[in-house]
Amino acid sequence: MPKCLLWNFAEVLLCWTFVEAQGSSDGGITVQEQMYLLYDVKLECHQNVSLQDPTDDLCPPGWDGLICWPRGSPGAVTKVQCPRYVYDFNHNGHAYRKCDINGSWVFVESLNRTWTNYSDCLRFLQPNNHEGGK
């Protein structure tokens, strides 16, 4: 049993080392630095949201784990620029959320989450067929 526990610890340590190396191998930021950035932005978001007056007919502003969303208009799609504080995102793209006609963000029951489209933000991370997968 102790041998198995030691092996599991070694796997976790190797995995973390690999993730750390990947996060900083191209002169970017480490995973830990990325987490600190997200935490700081989250705190700022919560502070800004707490200062706003609630409006019943609009979708509420809030933090979704990556973006601090502004209020949304019922029946409309809200578009925000992909955050610059997420290192590997396409910073020229946009993320989207839909506010339903009742003033609530569209919710996906199967995922137990609010629907958000980050596909434009992830384009930078996906191989481009025109560039041979670079």
Side-chain angles (χ1 to χ4, degrees), residues 77-94:
V77 172
T78 300
K79 173 176 116 174
V80 296
Q81 188 168 9
C82 298
R84 295 198 175 282
Y85 50 82
V86 177
Y87 176 72
D88 283 332
F89 267 8
N90 167 20
H91 300 135
N92 295 320
H94 293 87

Side-chain angles (χ1 to χ4, degrees), residues 44-55 58-62 68-72:
E44 184 180 327
C45 177
H46 285 300
Q47 183 178 14
N48 290 340
V49 168
S50 69
L51 297 174
Q52 295 182 22
D53 292 328
T55 306
L58 298 177
C59 283
C68 190
W69 288 90
R71 286 187 174 110

Side-chain angles (χ1 to χ4, degrees), residues 13-90:
L13 186 61
L14 286 172
C15 181
W16 181 255
T17 303
F18 177 73
V19 167
E20 280 288 322
Q22 290 295 312
S24 59
S25 64
D26 63 351
I29 64 174
T30 66
V31 173
Q32 188 175 18
E33 290 169 329
Q34 181 65 79
M35 295 305 291
Y36 282 128
L37 282 171
L38 283 170
Y39 183 73
D40 287 344
V41 174
K42 174 185 174 180
L43 291 178
E44 184 180 327
C45 177
H46 285 300
Q47 183 178 14
N48 290 340
V49 168
S50 69
L51 297 174
Q52 295 182 22
D53 292 328
T55 306
D56 291 334
D57 58 339
L58 298 177
C59 283
W63 177 252
D64 73 351
L66 289 177
I67 291 179
C68 190
W69 288 90
R71 286 187 174 110
S73 299
V77 172
T78 300
K79 173 176 116 174
V80 296
Q81 188 168 9
C82 298
R84 295 198 175 282
Y85 50 82
V86 177
Y87 176 72
D88 283 332
F89 267 8
N90 167 20

Side-chain angles (χ1 to χ4, degrees), residues 74-130:
V77 172
T78 300
K79 173 176 116 174
V80 296
Q81 188 168 9
C82 298
R84 295 198 175 282
Y85 50 82
V86 177
Y87 176 72
D88 283 332
F89 267 8
N90 167 20
H91 300 135
N92 295 320
H94 293 87
Y96 304 90
R97 253 187 175 184
K98 183 162 176 58
C99 183
D100 68 21
I101 59 171
N102 299 318
S104 297
W105 295 112
V106 171
F107 192 79
V108 180
E109 293 288 334
S110 62
L111 299 176
N112 197 29
R113 305 185 60 99
T114 300
W115 176 84
T116 306
N117 182 344
Y118 285 106
S119 59
D120 208 20
C121 300
L122 302 174
R123 285 220 172 105
F124 180 71
L125 302 174
Q126 298 169 351
N128 187 340
N129 293 335
H130 302 303

